[in-house]
């Protein structure tokens, strides 16, 4: 079986995780693991919703102003520090 890691970058001007993003995350979770990072200030409740999606290894959010690439950098850095990258055949960079 192919092992996939999805590095997921998100943003929402209203500081929420939209239902369409939740749908997207659930679909991806059926194909691999997810590291989620948002470029905005999400509440603990919003992050908890993301963490409830199967196969989400990490969910974080902070306003960094570096758009998707800043979120990719932070999420990939988390995966590297957690020493999980060698567990996967593919690493996908995806966004909302």
């Amino acid at each position: 079986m192919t092992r996939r890691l999805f590095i997921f970058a998100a943003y929402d001007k209203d500081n929420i995780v939209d239902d369409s993003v939740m749908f997207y995350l659930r679909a991806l979770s059926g194909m691999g693991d997810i590291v989620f990072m948002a470029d905005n200030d999400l509440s603990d409740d919003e992050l908890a919703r993301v963490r409830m999606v199967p196969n989400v290894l990490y969910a974080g959010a902070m306003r960094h102003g570096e758009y998707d690439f800043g979120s990719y950098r932070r999420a990939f850095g988390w995966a590297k520090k957690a020493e999980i990258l060698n567990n996967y055949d593919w690493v996908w960079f995806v966004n909302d």
Side-chain angles (χ1 to χ4, degrees):
M1 175 189 268
T2 302
R3 299 165 301 165
R4 297 175 190 93
L5 176 65
F6 297 100
I7 303 292
F8 195 101
Y11 171 78
D12 187 275
K13 67 180 177 61
D14 298 319
N15 294 322
I16 62 167
V17 180
D18 192 79
D19 288 340
S20 62
V21 174
M22 293 300 295
F23 179 84
Y24 190 4
L25 291 170
R26 285 191 294 273
L28 289 175
S29 77
M31 297 181 282
D33 293 334
I34 301 167
V35 177
F36 176 94
M37 177 58 72
D39 180 11
N40 53 297
D41 298 316
L42 295 178
S43 69
D44 290 339
D45 289 343
E46 290 296 308
L47 285 173
R49 288 181 64 216
V50 172
R51 291 180 183 124
M52 288 176 49
V53 173
N55 298 327
V56 169
L57 304 178
Y58 175 80
M62 65 179 295
R63 184 72 184 121
H64 51 71
E66 297 174 351
Y67 305 100
D68 290 342
F69 288 99
S71 292
Y72 293 147
R73 181 171 61 89
R74 286 163 177 80
F76 188 84
W78 180 90
K80 185 175 179 181
K81 185 175 180 179
E83 298 181 351
I84 62 169
L85 294 172
N86 288 333
N87 298 340
Y88 300 96
D89 300 312
W90 295 94
V91 177
W92 295 75
F93 291 85
V94 297
N95 68 6
D96 63 344

